[in-house]
Amino acid sequence: MSPRAAARLESLGFTQLFDYVDGKMDWFANDLPAEGELPDAPYLGQIARRDVPTCRLGDGIGSVREQVHARGWDRCVVVDENGLALGLLESETLAEQADGDASAEAVMTPGPTTFRPNVPVAEIVHAMHENELDGVLVTTSGGKLVGYVSREDAQQAIRDSGRAEADGSREHGASRR
Amino acid sequence: MMVKAIDRDEVCRLLERGAQLVEVLPSKEYRDQHLPGAIHVPLDTLDREAPARLRRDRPIIVYCYDTQ
């Protein structure tokens, strides 16, 4: 839509034109400020762990496992050269793979479930519980990895937002006395 | 075409220089969430509203949802 808008503005004689092609999803995915009427509930882009380990399709599972564990993680996202999320190496896979020569591509879970950064955390907590997901990948609509949200982090974010809301109510009540 | 594609960092730099930030999505999308200071000029009313609301002597940054 923005390219069309830019083209229309150009035809109207405007000259200093710029198109922020990645749009507001890119902005919010990087936890930058927003204005608007959406409730102040957390959304995935705010809590996604951007330091989730990544590897490439051809990487050997043995070296991947070493690097993942050295960083304190137990899973890894398989990405291409453009950062597109292609698969997930689950903790069980990394633990079970005795053959260190297998490639990430051979043992990964392809096409993992992904969510957009602007999805409220509350919406996916139930889905994670129903589908017994330990966590989900957060990507842009183009499939580029933003980060990883574990079920624990999602639940904690909900608890924290509930406390923040309660504190806000108490403060508001106090100011009325 | 004189339109330049920019990234987030360039958006910030242009805003510091007084650029006009314009969201072109429909009203609900704008109302829900938009970049701070963004003007709302929906695509379907752009022809009518832009000449009246946007300055020609300052850079204009347009954006929508994402690349799709």
Side-chain angles (χ1 to χ4, degrees):
Chain A
M1 195 174 274
S2 63
R4 284 184 283 157
R8 284 304 302 149
L9 287 172
E10 188 175 26
S11 70
L12 291 169
F14 291 91
T15 56
Q16 301 182 72
L17 295 170
F18 301 86
D19 182 2
Y20 178 22
V21 291
D22 288 334
K24 60 183 181 181
M25 284 305 101
D26 171 70
W27 188 269
F28 301 145
N30 285 274
D31 207 19
L32 290 169
E35 293 179 347
E37 297 176 359
L38 269 186
D40 214 9
Y43 47 92
L44 292 181
Q46 291 177 303
I47 66 169
R49 292 278 306 274
R50 285 156 171 78
D51 61 339
V52 60
T54 61
C55 69
R56 303 289 286 277
L57 287 169
D59 289 348
I61 197 68
S63 64
V64 171
R65 183 172 54 235
E66 281 179 22
Q67 290 168 32
V68 167
H69 290 165
R71 292 177 56 186
W73 282 77
D74 63 357
R75 63 203 62 212
C76 179
V77 183
V78 185
V79 299
D80 72 0
E81 63 273 14
N82 297 312
L84 296 183
L86 302 174
L88 186 61
L89 290 170
E90 308 270 11
S91 55
E92 297 81 5
T93 302
L94 289 173
E96 289 168 1
Q97 283 296 316
D99 180 5
D101 290 336
S103 69
E105 180 177 15
V107 299
M108 72 180 185
T109 302
T113 303
T114 63
F115 291 85
R116 301 292 163 263
N118 65 324
V119 172
V121 175
E123 280 188 22
I124 66 130
V125 167
H126 181 70
M128 292 168 86
H129 178 73
E130 284 288 305
N131 294 287
E132 298 182 351
L133 297 174
D134 291 334
V136 296
L137 296 185
V138 182
T139 65
T140 66
S141 58
K144 192 169 180 180
L145 179 67
V146 172
Y148 179 84
V149 174
S150 69
R151 195 196 303 189
E152 292 76 24
D153 286 348
Q155 291 169 339
Q156 184 62 47
I158 297 298
R159 285 193 293 269
D160 290 345
S161 69
R163 274 196 289 272
E165 198 174 323
D167 288 346
S169 298
R170 280 197 292 274
E171 286 176 7
H172 185 62
S175 70
R176 284 179 147 177
R177 290 196 222 108
Chain B
M1 197 165 178
M2 298 167 62
V3 181
K4 185 182 174 191
I6 58 173
D7 60 15
R8 188 174 60 251
D9 290 338
E10 188 65 16
V11 169
C12 294
R13 277 192 286 272
L14 285 167
L15 289 176
E16 286 174 5
R17 286 165 40 194
Q20 304 164 92
L21 188 58
V22 180
E23 177 165 323
V24 298
L25 290 166
S27 295
K28 184 184 184 307
E29 278 77 6
Y30 175 83
R31 273 201 313 275
D32 281 350
Q33 237 179 8
H34 54 267
L35 273 63
I39 304 165
H40 184 221
V41 184
L43 182 61
D44 57 357
T45 60
L46 194 74
D47 284 20
R48 187 178 72 247
E49 291 193 52
R53 298 182 61 196
L54 300 180
R55 292 176 58 162
R56 294 178 184 271
D57 61 342
R58 284 167 47 189
I60 297 170
I61 305 168
V62 293
Y63 74 88
C64 58
Y65 197 74
D66 59 17
T67 54
Q68 294 190 355

